[in-house]
Amino acid sequence: MMNAIPYPVLPIEILLVEDSPSDIDLTMEALSESKISNHLSVAEDGVKALDFLHRRGEYANAPRPDLIMLDLNLPRKDGREVLMDIKTDPGLQSIPVVVLTSSDAEEDVLASYAA
């Protein structure tokens, strides 16, 4: 039997774009209980999310996320707009995005899948 070669496991970088403090807390709790090592950053609105992703201003040293969890209903810049910006930017479009919404409007679901 071969011994596994130990190597450092880097945490998955996750960007949560969410404006609800209770949803942020719930997500943090769920991720802390997962078996996957992760580091969670939070942006409370769409403008901050894009600043984070483009490493502007206070986010100049932000890590590149491996995964984005995006609420559709956000202040300042809507999650739908953020999703379109991400998926049309060659530097960001390869980052997987999980869309979070309480909406059951069919157009929200279809537009998210299309993006």
Side-chain angles (χ1 to χ4, degrees):
M1 186 164 147
M2 297 178 74
N3 291 333
I5 299 172
Y7 59 93
V9 177
L10 297 176
I12 295 172
E13 291 289 341
I14 300 172
L15 173 60
L16 174 62
V17 186
E18 175 61 67
D19 62 318
S20 165
S22 60
D23 287 346
I24 293 169
D25 290 343
L26 186 62
T27 303
M28 291 174 74
E29 183 180 332
L31 288 172
S32 72
E33 294 174 5
S34 75
K35 295 182 193 246
I36 298 171
S37 177
N38 63 78
H39 176 260
L40 182 69
S41 299
V42 177
E44 295 87 6
D45 63 53
V47 172
K48 287 183 180 182
L50 291 172
D51 285 348
F52 184 99
L53 291 167
H54 291 288
R55 297 180 175 135
R56 295 187 291 237
E58 68 180 287
Y59 301 108
N61 296 313
R64 177 182 167 83
D66 299 306
L67 175 70
I68 300 168
M69 299 174 71
L70 175 65
D71 182 17
L72 285 185
N73 299 313
L74 295 168
R76 296 178 65 196
K77 186 164 191 145
D78 189 74
R80 293 158 195 82
E81 295 174 273
V82 173
L83 181 60
M84 291 305 297
D85 287 354
I86 292 168
K87 292 305 175 183
T88 57
D89 184 316
L92 301 174
Q93 65 188 193
S94 64
I95 302 172
V97 178
V98 175
V99 174
L100 309 170
T101 185
S102 57
S103 171
D104 44 354
E106 187 174 351
E107 62 269 13
D108 286 342
V109 174
L110 294 175
S112 297
Y113 276 122

